[in-house]
Amino acid sequence: MSADAVVRTARSRRARLAAGDVVAWICGGIIALAVLVAILGPLLAPHDPNAADLNDQFVGPVAGHPLGFDAQGRDLLSRLLAGARTSMLGPTAVVVLAMAAGVLAAVTAAWRGGWVDAALGTVMDVLFSFPGILLAILASAVFGPSLWAAVIALSIAYTPYVARVLRSAAVRERAQEYIAAAEVQGASAVAICARHLVPNVAPLIVAQATLLFGYAMVDLAAISFLGLGVQPPQADWGVMVSTGKAGVLQGYPAESLAAGLCIVVVVVAVNLLGERLGERRR
Amino acid sequence: MAEPVLEARGLRKVYGDHVAVDGVDLALAPGGSLGIVGESGSGKTTVARMIVGLTRPTAGTIAVCGRDRSQPARGTAERRRRAREVQIVFQNPYASLDPRRSPADALDEVLRLHTDAGADERRARIAELGELVGLDERMLRARPRALSGGQRQRVAIARALAAQPRVIVLDEAVAALDVSIQAQILNLLADVRARIGVAYVFISHDLAVVRQIADETLVMQRGRVVERGPTEQVLDDPRDPYTRLLRASVPGPGWRPVRRGAPTTGGAT
Ligand SMILES: Nc1ncnc2c1ncn2[C@@H]1O[C@H](COP(=O)(O)OP(=O)(O)OP(=O)(O)O)[C@@H](O)[C@H]1O
Ligand SMILES: [Mg+2]
């Protein structure tokens, strides 16, 4: 390779790194914005998200209503802003619950090995064979359809994925001599796992969590779309995609499109950022 | 021998139907140094792990400072007391430190476990331990990634010393190091023993290394002790045919590498 080419490669690599950082910053910004809206949404909404006026049915953007109205004449922008809360909270809860259960199962299996590992593996295999949507249908049949029924169902459905991926990393880490050294130092198993084992698989935990957030957001929207999650008239992006169906058929796709776009943008931002975080640690 | 600081009788470890260790007896005087040599797979690491409590013996007893430790420790106090009796240094300097923790952190963790010392006192003790093994302030604050193999092994030795144990088991502790670094670490170990009177169980397959560090040596073959005695005697005047073989396979002065496949005068290599 000529010196010139070397310089060029080096330059393009630097450009790529900088571009990576720009993407990471944009994704971070989008996520921060989404979180902010989720927290403040109802306060930011210029109108009551549930105030219907059939005179405004499918009216397009007008002054004070930049996105127009839905099939019941409710202000779309207000519904999007108010809907951010359940749309963000649901996946966050799924990530927290599934990661907590998955990490616990993976670390316990790796630490104890033997029959404990085998038993946990069997439990995870059984859970693995239930699709999340099926569990959600069961949960809504038992607890009645609600966001929380869906969250619990998805958390259970995702736990085996998390546990399986993390277990092999935890087993590798468990075999490292620094863990044995800490055991010989007389540290307790819980302390060793909390201080050494889990932090050393943390990059994988972060990567898993971001992937999971994306899946959970899409699945929760699908569950709400099926009428098993968040219940209308409450504003929620998944519910809005669903209730917007009627408008789509009548040539007014604004509601479904806007809510769907919010979901896609957040999911893509979270996944890209997760990917970047995972790469940087490696 | 004075009351031994470490004594094992009839140690045996069976994995499935494979006998890894088969009736090993050993005793170590306070401040003494016992070498264990033997070919790969002869059970040396298994003995080491049983002594420090990482592996549970199938049969036999282990006592340190007169206290039995054949069964797993019951309770926190017992576990920590055992830690203050025996420590271990492993072979692989790259796996024996938490990659996320600086040496100072690693030492601090041990001091927190075993002393009530305040932050200032611990900091002083960490500097002291660093000085004992030849690590300066910069190395103590570095990430393990930034340290050489020899430096990491110094950290592992300092960490083993931090709890002030009576015995340190060193399992192939210099095997992964360059010869010149090996010599430094061996000098360090001899120095530490002279200064604080800790006893060593020094495991190696390198007879030259054992000769430098061990007062007594035992030779293991397929899980059994085939010869034991003062190191000089075992290595210079081996009784057991296996020890002779082991010694003959060590390149000594005048030894020349023979390229495999090249014509030789002495038959197979
Ligand atoms: N956890 C285990 N499960 C099954 N077999 C084991 C286990 N640990 C050791 N062994 C077997 O026990 C025997 C002794 O192994 P050990 O590691 O003690 O040998 P060693 O003398 O330390 O060898 P090396 O010089 O290669 O380190 C070997 O045959 C090994 O395969
Ligand atoms: Mg070994």
Side-chain angles (χ1 to χ4, degrees):
Chain A
M1 204 175 0
S2 72
D4 199 36
V6 172
V7 170
R8 229 181 299 130
T9 332
R11 208 175 281 155
S12 78
R13 182 170 308 148
R14 201 171 321 139
R16 215 166 45 233
L17 277 181
D21 277 344
V22 170
V23 171
W25 278 109
I26 292 175
C27 292
I30 290 172
I31 294 163
L33 188 69
V35 169
L36 204 68
V37 172
I39 294 169
L40 301 175
L43 299 177
L44 297 176
H47 304 279
D48 178 352
N50 289 326
D53 183 348
L54 287 178
N55 290 327
D56 292 332
Q57 187 182 28
F58 294 137
V59 170
V62 292
H65 301 272
L67 294 180
F69 299 85
D70 70 2
Q72 295 179 40
R74 295 175 294 199
D75 180 48
L76 265 185
L77 178 64
S78 299
R79 285 186 69 72
L80 276 186
L81 291 173
R85 181 164 290 178
T86 51
S87 308
M88 295 289 291
L89 188 62
T92 306
V94 171
V95 167
V96 169
L97 291 175
M99 291 309 295
V103 169
L104 191 67
V107 170
T108 308
W111 186 267
R112 300 293 304 273
W115 69 267
V116 176
D117 190 9
L120 278 169
T122 308
V123 171
M124 291 303 149
D125 282 343
V126 170
L127 285 182
F128 207 67
S129 57
F130 282 99
I133 301 280
L134 181 64
L135 277 179
I137 292 171
L138 286 176
S140 77
V142 175
F143 305 113
S146 74
L147 174 64
W148 295 109
V151 162
I152 288 168
L154 283 188
S155 303
I156 293 172
Y158 288 158
T159 296
Y161 287 91
V162 178
R164 196 173 278 188
V165 173
L166 291 181
R167 179 195 162 274
S168 50
V171 165
R172 243 189 336 270
E173 217 57 40
R174 168 81 174 93
Q176 299 277 315
E177 286 169 349
Y178 72 86
I179 300 279
E183 286 184 84
V184 175
Q185 289 293 354
S188 71
V190 172
I192 296 172
C193 290
R195 259 186 256 146
H196 299 285
L197 210 161
V198 171
N200 276 295
V201 295
L204 197 59
I205 293 179
V206 171
Q208 283 281 299
T210 53
L211 269 184
L212 210 60
F213 186 93
Y215 290 145
M217 190 160 216
V218 171
D219 277 3
L220 281 174
I223 290 168
S224 292
F225 182 88
L226 294 175
L228 302 173
V230 177
Q231 296 299 301
Q234 191 181 351
D236 172 89
W237 296 344
V239 169
M240 288 174 72
V241 172
S242 164
T243 53
K245 272 186 311 213
V248 174
L249 296 177
Q250 295 173 40
Y252 301 100
E255 182 180 10
S256 286
L257 275 186
L261 199 65
C262 286
I263 294 174
V264 169
V265 167
V266 171
V267 168
V268 169
V270 169
N271 282 354
L272 285 179
L273 187 66
E275 220 169 72
R276 290 247 145 40
L277 288 179
E279 267 169 21
R280 198 166 309 163
R281 305 283 176 92
R282 234 171 274 138
Chain B
M1 190 192 278
E3 178 77 4
V5 64
L6 164 69
E7 190 168 26
R9 280 177 197 282
L11 268 191
R12 181 178 166 85
K13 181 68 193 180
V14 181
Y15 289 111
D17 54 4
H18 175 73
V19 182
V21 172
D22 190 4
V24 167
D25 297 323
L26 57 83
L28 176 62
S33 180
L34 173 70
I36 303 181
V37 297
E39 66 187 348
S40 183
S42 55
K44 307 182 297 292
T45 295
T46 308
V47 168
R49 292 179 63 91
M50 287 192 288
I51 292 173
V52 299
L54 285 169
T55 296
R56 194 171 170 173
T58 309
T61 59
I62 305 166
V64 173
C65 307
R67 278 186 286 261
D68 182 77
R69 54 158 65 208
S70 320
Q71 298 301 313
R74 288 229 193 106
T76 313
E78 165 81 3
R79 206 172 52 225
R80 294 195 184 162
R81 209 203 60 228
R82 286 188 187 185
R84 289 189 289 271
E85 293 169 353
V86 184
Q87 279 301 317
I88 187 164
V89 175
F90 293 102
Q91 168 172 3
N92 184 352
Y94 292 89
S96 60
L97 301 181
D98 183 339
R100 299 169 50 87
R101 299 293 188 109
S102 71
D105 276 355
L107 296 178
D108 198 51
E109 188 180 350
V110 179
L111 295 177
R112 276 164 186 272
L113 268 175
H114 296 293
T115 66
D116 315 321
D120 289 341
E121 205 179 322
R122 291 201 308 270
R123 209 169 303 131
R125 179 85 181 113
I126 289 168
E128 198 180 300
L129 283 164
E131 199 231 335
L132 186 64
V133 299
L135 291 170
D136 62 27
E137 189 64 18
R138 186 190 61 79
M139 297 171 195
L140 284 173
R141 303 278 156 212
R143 278 294 158 93
R145 197 184 318 132
L147 299 176
S148 70
Q151 287 166 346
R152 290 179 206 211
Q153 214 55 329
R154 289 170 191 267
V155 178
I157 292 167
R159 182 179 57 191
L161 288 167
Q164 299 185 292
R166 304 287 309 278
V167 179
I168 298 182
V169 178
L170 299 118
D171 184 7
E172 308 271 12
V174 298
L177 306 175
D178 292 347
V179 176
S180 65
I181 310 293
Q182 272 192 6
Q184 285 178 17
I185 299 289
L186 290 174
N187 286 337
L188 166 66
L189 288 171
D191 195 37
V192 165
R193 179 154 80 107
R195 277 169 76 175
I196 60 181
V198 63
Y200 296 143
V201 175
F202 193 94
I203 295 173
S204 181
H205 57 259
D206 186 338
L207 302 188
V209 164
V210 169
R211 190 188 288 276
Q212 277 187 58
I213 199 111
D215 310 335
E216 308 243 329
T217 291
L218 53 85
V219 181
M220 287 185 68
Q221 181 192 19
R222 283 196 234 111
R224 291 171 176 278
V225 176
V226 292
E227 184 154 15
R228 69 173 79 224
T231 303
E232 317 269 88
Q233 185 193 314
V234 169
L235 298 186
D236 291 340
D237 182 20
R239 304 274 140 102
D240 190 271
Y242 173 71
T243 314
R244 274 188 223 134
L245 192 70
L246 206 62
R247 202 180 64 142
S249 61
V250 174
W255 177 83
R256 279 210 190 81
V258 178
R259 203 174 328 135
R260 205 182 294 258
T264 52
T265 44
T269 45

